[in-house]
RNA sequence: GGGCCGGUAGCUCAGCAGGUAGAGCAUGUGACUUUUAAUCACAGGGUCGCGGGUUCGAAUCCCGCCCGGCUCACCA
């Protein structure tokens, strides 16, 4: 029992909190409301700065993040999500009572001010406050103004502090929002209909992963959080929706690391009468479009590791990439020399592995990681992917691609299997003889006829990592999963 | 799960051949009506992640645990 499931501890107390509560009481006695009502602003701080005009009367609100007190006058910096503005307080302008009361405002408090715009002799656009009002008292100290908040654990656990202290984090999450909006607009403009399918499912299908389990009392039945929306989206293809997509959360009861969070955002797209080639054209156009919109160009990744998204992207067969890494004679090698070849490439190969397993180890450990710029890997071995159609010229490989960028799988796409009899054989094999694990409701839908279709999944968090240069999935999820804190 | 690194004031960090815990910012008091990392003077502030052990004495050494980061492995 490592995790602490008890109720969170009461907030810790300290001298700063006591001091701030005392200041709050002091302000209340002077007629201020500690936690004020709505405050009509002329604009956000960024808008006020953009529309700055000497002598203009404005109303501004924000968090006090810096304060330079000089006796009978003081400078403040107000801060909001998009910008910053300097405010000048003068005793003879505000009057004695309002000026004195301001002594009890702390860094971190939200205030509103009204006053005229002017420029200081150092050239800083500034509001000369005629009056001020308290909008929300802060009872806790903020991270330090200069060094900011570095502690990674605090940044994730108390993201609001990260957003206050680190402007680039704010900018990254704005970009994430923009990316998702561009994707929706792009797909809508091409006739794709956004749909919502169940997140709570009686069987967790459409992928191979451990699901989170819960219990629905009214039905007296177990339920699972979805690991993929795929089987419901295919039911919609049967129903005649010919272009659908869903952009929402999946849940997988697996480990946590730099590229895995138990809940993550997935885009799944299905196009009736298409196949893997229509998906290829779609994803290339989509990512190029989004990169141009949010990055202003086709360079992605981090400055240390730039990625060139200029189309057309490379397309290469799985076997071809293996030969590039393992030798042109790889296909002809017998098991023993193949094992020796793989070991000579630095891989740890157990003696009992067959050649297909060794080949895939080379792909995962050497080939995939070396594919920095976008590459469509096609014609994967059929045994790896049970839900795709076989290639017509070679039944040992399937008609799919995996889009790999910066060594990470960004989007797999298939020519979807629409043969209900074949689908039943594969699902029954996957269920390992347990009929309760076969999604009969899905098979019933398929038996009513699903058109041929191209389908694709796009890991949105990983796409955001690519377009922002983030190195951890935790940097692109506002509230990433963390272990419970004990001790 | 293995290895390595880390957790000290609200924040950023020093201190670790064992000898009563430090700095900067922030906070408090005082001075200052164009500052912007404001400046000047003085002051307060700590369960050194948690629990054991060794020792006259532990932030420091040893053991266990918690949390985080990197990395390898595993799973998909």
């Amino acid at each position: 029992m490592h995790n602490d499931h008890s109720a969170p501890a009461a907030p810790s107390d300290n001298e700063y909190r006591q001091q701030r509560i005392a200041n709050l009481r002091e302000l209340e006695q002077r007629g201020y409301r500690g936690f004020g009502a709505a405050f009509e602003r002329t604009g956000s701080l960024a808008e006020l700065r953009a529309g700055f005009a000497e002598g203009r009367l404005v109303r501004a609100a924000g968090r006090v993040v810096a304060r330079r007190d000089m006796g009978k006058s003081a400078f403040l910096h107000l801060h909001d999500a998009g910008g910053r503005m300097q405010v000048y307080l003068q005793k003879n302008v505000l009057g004695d009572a309002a000026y004195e009361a301001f002594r009890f405002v702390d860094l971190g408090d939200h205030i509103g001010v009204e006053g005229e715009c002017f420029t200081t002799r150092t050239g800083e656009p500034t509001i000369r406050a005629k009056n001020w009002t308290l909008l929300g008292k802060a009872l806790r100290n903020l991270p330090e103004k200069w060094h900011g908040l570095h502690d990674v654990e605090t940044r994730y656990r108390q993201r609001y502090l990260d957003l206050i202290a680190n402007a680039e984090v704010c900018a990254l999450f704005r970009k994430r929002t923009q990316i998702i909006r561009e994707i929706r607009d792009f797909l809508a403009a091409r006739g794709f209909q956004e749909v919502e399918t169940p997140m709570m499912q009686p069987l967790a299908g459409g992928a191979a992963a451990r699901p989170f389990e819960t219990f629905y009392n009214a039905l007296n039945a177990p339920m699972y959080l979805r690991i993929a929306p795929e089987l419901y989206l295919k039911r919609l293809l049967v129903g005649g929706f010919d272009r659908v997509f869903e952009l929402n959360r999946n849940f997988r009861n697996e480990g946590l690391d730099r590229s895995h969070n138990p809940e993550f955002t997935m885009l799944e797209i299905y196009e009736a009468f298409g196949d893997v080639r229509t998906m290829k054209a779609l994803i290339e156009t989509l990512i190029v479009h989004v990169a141009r919109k949010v990055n202003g160009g086709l360079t992605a990744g981090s400055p240390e590791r730039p990625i060139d998204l200029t189309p057309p992207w490379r397309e290469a067969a799985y076997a071809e990439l293996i030969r590039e890494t393992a030798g042109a004679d790889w296909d002809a090698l017998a098991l023993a020399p193949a094992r020796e070849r793989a070991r000579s490439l630095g891989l740890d190969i157990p003696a009992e592995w067959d050649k297909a397993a060794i080949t895939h180890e080379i792909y995962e450990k050497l080939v995939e990681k070396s594919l920095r710029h976008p590459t469509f890997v096609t014609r994967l071995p059929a045994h790896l992917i049970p839900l795709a159609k076989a290639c017509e010229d070679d039944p040992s490989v399937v008609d799919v691609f995996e889009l790999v960028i910066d060594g990470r799988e960004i989007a797999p796409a298939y020519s979807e299997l629409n043969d209900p009899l074949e689908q039943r054989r594969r699902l029954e094999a996957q269920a390992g003889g347990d009929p309760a694990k076969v999604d009969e409701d899905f098979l019933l839908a398929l038996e009513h006829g699903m058109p041929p279709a191209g389908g694709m999944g796009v890991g949105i968090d990983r796409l955001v990592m690519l377009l922002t240069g983030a190195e951890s999935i935790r940097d692109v999820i506002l509230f990433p999963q963390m272990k419970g804190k004990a001790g």
Side-chain angles (χ1 to χ4, degrees):
Chain A
M1 297 302 111
H2 293 153
N3 291 343
D4 182 3
H5 294 288
S6 59
S12 60
D13 204 0
N14 59 40
E15 60 164 317
Y16 301 102
R17 186 165 178 273
Q18 292 296 337
Q19 181 63 50
R20 282 165 178 264
I21 289 173
N23 288 347
L24 169 63
R25 300 292 171 238
E26 190 70 45
L27 284 163
E28 284 169 344
Q29 280 179 14
R30 290 163 192 251
Y32 291 87
R33 291 174 64 187
F35 305 93
F39 182 85
E40 193 183 331
R41 299 177 296 167
T42 308
S44 71
L45 299 180
E47 287 164 350
L48 292 181
R49 186 173 284 265
F52 184 83
E54 206 76 28
R56 183 185 180 201
L57 185 65
V58 297
R59 287 167 64 83
R63 190 189 288 277
V64 180
V65 295
R67 176 175 185 165
R68 294 176 292 280
D69 215 307
M70 285 172 300
K72 297 188 180 63
S73 72
F75 286 95
L76 314 175
H77 281 166
L78 288 190
H79 181 275
D80 67 17
R84 194 198 69 152
M85 177 64 78
Q86 181 168 266
V87 173
Y88 189 38
L89 305 177
Q90 287 169 293
K91 190 170 187 176
N92 61 349
V93 174
L94 283 170
D96 289 358
Y99 191 81
E100 283 302 312
F102 202 84
R103 291 202 304 130
F104 301 101
V105 169
D106 294 300
L107 291 187
D109 293 357
H110 282 92
I111 65 165
V113 300
E114 182 177 30
E116 279 186 5
C117 294
F118 76 107
T119 306
T120 64
R121 67 182 178 203
T122 53
E124 178 85 17
T126 303
I127 298 168
R128 188 191 312 274
K130 287 163 58 177
N131 53 63
W132 69 272
T133 182
L134 183 61
L135 300 175
K137 195 92 184 100
L139 300 183
R140 298 282 174 174
N141 284 18
L142 294 180
E144 199 222 344
K145 62 181 177 183
W146 187 17
H147 296 94
L149 179 66
H150 278 206
D151 184 79
V152 179
E153 189 172 352
T154 307
R155 287 186 45 224
Y156 295 152
R157 286 188 195 277
Q158 293 176 272
R159 181 69 86 183
Y160 47 91
L161 294 179
D162 194 23
L163 293 169
I164 292 166
N166 300 316
E168 71 282 5
V169 174
C170 250
L172 187 150
F173 283 105
R174 260 196 296 275
K175 195 188 251 190
R176 179 181 172 120
T177 299
Q178 197 186 351
I179 288 167
I180 289 171
R181 189 176 60 239
E182 291 296 343
I183 291 171
R184 287 199 157 101
D185 289 350
F186 177 95
L187 290 170
R190 280 157 185 77
F192 285 86
Q193 176 178 357
E194 181 166 9
V195 296
E196 294 164 278
T197 67
M199 293 208 184
M200 283 170 49
Q201 304 177 349
L203 285 168
R210 285 182 60 195
F212 286 94
E213 188 175 352
T214 185
F215 191 84
Y216 186 20
N217 293 332
L219 294 185
N220 192 33
M223 297 290 286
Y224 301 89
L225 298 187
R226 74 175 179 198
I227 57 176
E230 173 160 353
L231 303 186
Y232 286 91
L233 293 171
K234 285 179 170 170
R235 285 169 169 89
L236 295 180
L237 293 178
V238 172
F241 284 10
D242 62 349
R243 294 173 169 220
V244 295
F245 75 95
E246 181 159 13
L247 201 173
N248 218 313
R249 226 69 64 80
N250 286 346
F251 306 85
R252 296 188 182 176
N253 205 338
E254 310 276 357
L256 284 167
D257 65 32
R258 227 151 58 119
S259 55
H260 295 85
N261 196 66
E263 54 179 304
F264 62 99
T265 302
M266 176 72 93
L267 167 64
E268 284 205 11
I269 307 173
Y270 291 86
E271 182 175 12
F273 313 113
D275 66 5
V276 72
R277 278 154 291 282
T278 51
M279 290 294 109
K280 176 173 174 278
L282 185 68
I283 191 63
E284 186 178 281
T285 314
L286 171 62
I287 291 179
V288 164
H289 170 82
V290 173
R292 284 205 171 108
K293 286 277 188 180
V294 305
N295 282 354
L298 293 183
T299 300
S302 59
E304 306 78 51
R305 195 178 164 75
I307 310 291
D308 179 12
L309 297 177
T310 305
W313 296 342
R314 184 183 181 198
E315 176 175 338
Y318 179 90
E320 176 189 339
L321 291 166
I322 293 291
R323 285 193 294 270
E324 281 179 10
T325 296
D329 59 344
W330 178 260
D331 296 347
L333 284 185
L335 178 58
R339 187 188 299 129
E340 283 319 302
R341 178 76 56 82
R343 286 177 175 164
S344 74
L345 291 169
L347 297 178
D348 188 19
I349 306 292
E352 66 274 15
W353 281 14
D354 64 12
K355 192 170 170 193
I358 297 171
T359 303
H360 199 57
E361 182 75 359
I362 290 171
Y363 177 74
E364 291 213 314
K365 292 288 152 57
L366 302 175
V367 173
E368 203 172 52
K369 284 181 180 163
S370 72
L371 298 175
R372 182 164 154 200
H373 300 298
T375 305
F376 291 105
V377 181
T378 62
R379 300 171 73 87
L380 273 76
H383 68 271
L384 294 175
I385 300 175
L387 297 176
K389 282 187 168 173
C391 287
E392 290 188 4
D393 61 340
D394 180 357
S396 74
V397 293
V398 280
D399 194 30
V400 303
F401 69 71
E402 284 187 352
L403 173 60
V404 178
I405 308 179
D406 198 17
R408 272 194 286 265
E409 195 185 315
I410 295 286
Y414 305 164
S415 293
E416 300 292 347
L417 185 64
N418 63 337
D419 173 346
L421 302 175
E422 175 65 13
Q423 184 71 81
R424 171 176 294 281
R425 279 192 289 277
R426 294 187 184 185
L427 287 182
E428 284 176 350
Q430 192 180 33
D434 181 353
K437 289 184 177 169
V438 174
D439 193 335
E440 289 293 343
D441 194 53
F442 169 63
L443 289 170
L444 178 63
L446 270 197
E447 293 192 1
H448 285 84
M450 185 181 103
M456 178 162 60
V458 184
I460 294 299
D461 308 288
R462 291 177 184 183
L463 181 62
V464 173
M465 288 169 69
L466 171 71
L467 292 174
T468 59
E471 291 183 349
S472 169
I473 199 167
R474 287 181 160 175
D475 291 326
V476 302
I477 292 176
L478 280 166
F479 298 99
Q481 186 63 48
M482 302 290 278
K483 280 195 195 179
K485 239 188 160 172

